[in-house]
Amino acid sequence: MADPAAPVFADHVAENRRHWDADAPKWVASGERAWAQTEPTWGIWGVANRELPLLPDDLDGQRAIELGCGTGYVSAWMQRRGATVYAIDNSAEQLATARRLAVAHGVDDIEWVHGDAEHVPQPDASFDFAISEYGAAIWCNPRVWIPEAHRLLRRGGSLVFLGNHPLATICTHPDGALPVGTTLERGYFGLGRLDWTAAAEDPGGIEFNMEISSWMRLFRDLGFDVADYHEIQAPSSAEGVKFSVPATWAKRFPAEQAWVLVKR
Ligand SMILES: C[S@@+](CC[C@H](N)C(=O)[O-])C[C@H]1O[C@@H](n2cnc3c(N)ncnc32)[C@H](O)[C@@H]1O
């Protein structure tokens, strides 16, 4: 008989666990590089935190959560800034890399948790700061994980997350043919669930995105104020194609967005 206390995963959570457990070996090298960095950098183009200030310099005394921590480098950056860190990820294989890198860097006080960022086993109002870089930010249903992040934060706490800009999503062919182009390949309205399990290139995983107005409405209805919204442009020095986005494209259009929210 099934354990009635066992967590019930949404189908995208189960598929994304399968996808990320299989994909984890591809992310070890980039995780190692990011753990070794002293200055945080963000997103596809590695924009420095001083230009894109997503992490405060001082998190001393704050309790922070990373939602979909992957190889754990953002958690390491927060720990070095003084935070007590709780890092949750859906993939045991990604967490194995995170744990190994923590040991290699002499870090023994990050709490690594295997679980679903849509349902975090922590009490209400237990964190001052929450962050996701391409974790829950794109792999979780925003109508579930954003309310969950709101529940977890104390009043005045911040949620920061970075992921694909909806413009890049609609310029990606629905059959997954890459790279991102300059044709509108799908409608903007009703983006929602993006199933890449049958994609022509790099198949696997189910992502989510929304129209900017829907993100805004969700934040307002929950009780988040938007402190900042970044549409990230590739720097003039960027070259080639990274994560399916040509640098030439990302100098003209925003491939990524980052939200900085404060719980009212
Ligand atoms: C691209 S990584 C981002 C994390 C980190 N910035 C990195 O690059 O290592 C995406 C991560 O999101 C995690 N993820 C996907 N769905 C999740 C969920 N429902 N709950 C927690 N983590 C999830 C995956 O397991 C994966 O490790």
Side-chain angles (χ1 to χ4, degrees), residues 8-237:
V8 179
F9 287 152
D11 64 341
H12 63 273
V13 178
E15 161 56 19
N16 290 338
R17 176 169 287 187
R18 184 207 60 73
H19 173 66
W20 276 100
D21 278 342
D23 229 37
K26 294 187 200 157
W27 297 82
V28 172
S30 57
E32 286 172 348
R33 283 194 299 276
W35 267 83
Q37 283 178 212
T38 46
E39 167 80 354
T41 56
W42 301 111
I44 299 175
W45 309 105
V47 181
N49 195 59
R50 62 182 175 279
E51 288 163 35
L52 178 61
L54 301 185
L55 264 194
D57 288 339
D58 186 4
L59 286 171
D60 210 21
Q62 300 214 19
R63 187 150 191 256
I65 180 169
E66 185 176 5
L67 296 152
C69 65
T71 58
Y73 52 84
V74 175
S75 289
W77 297 338
M78 294 197 288
Q79 187 262 5
R80 288 175 202 158
R81 285 165 146 72
T84 303
V85 180
Y86 178 100
I88 187 166
D89 199 280
N90 189 27
S91 160
E93 297 300 323
Q94 287 279 85
L95 284 172
T97 304
R99 287 197 177 96
R100 181 176 65 73
L101 290 171
V103 171
H105 286 264
V107 173
D108 63 3
D109 56 354
I110 295 176
E111 191 176 351
W112 305 107
V113 179
H114 187 213
D116 174 13
E118 293 183 1
H119 305 283
V120 178
Q122 288 287 295
D124 296 358
S126 40
F127 295 95
D128 305 289
F129 189 80
I131 192 162
S132 175
E133 186 207 31
Y134 283 106
I138 67 166
W139 299 100
C140 289
N141 181 343
R143 300 197 182 281
V144 181
W145 86 266
I146 299 276
E148 181 67 343
H150 186 269
R151 179 187 74 78
L152 291 165
L153 283 168
R154 301 197 177 105
R155 193 171 287 193
S158 297
L159 169 63
V160 174
F161 68 97
L162 184 155
N164 303 309
H165 194 287
L167 188 60
T169 303
I170 62 174
C171 290
T172 303
H173 198 278
D175 77 3
L178 301 171
V180 175
T182 51
T183 306
L184 301 178
E185 301 282 3
R186 68 166 91 217
Y188 178 68
F189 295 112
L191 270 177
R193 179 183 158 108
L194 303 153
D195 186 335
W196 304 113
T197 51
E201 296 173 49
D202 196 17
I206 296 167
E207 296 180 29
F208 294 83
N209 210 333
M210 298 199 293
E211 307 90 316
I212 293 168
S213 54
S214 294
W215 285 110
M216 297 276 290
R217 200 166 305 122
L218 178 64
F219 303 148
R220 187 202 58 202
D221 291 350
L222 284 168
F224 272 127
D225 289 327
V226 177
D228 216 339
Y229 176 61
H230 304 271
E231 296 181 298
I232 302 171
Q233 183 179 27
S236 55
S237 57

Side-chain angles (χ1 to χ4, degrees), residues 232-257:
I232 302 171
Q233 183 179 27
S236 55
S237 57
E239 290 179 343
V241 178
K242 282 195 173 174
F243 299 101
S244 315
V245 182
T248 47
W249 194 97
K251 288 175 190 177
R252 298 178 64 206
F253 310 109
E256 301 175 289
Q257 61 179 356

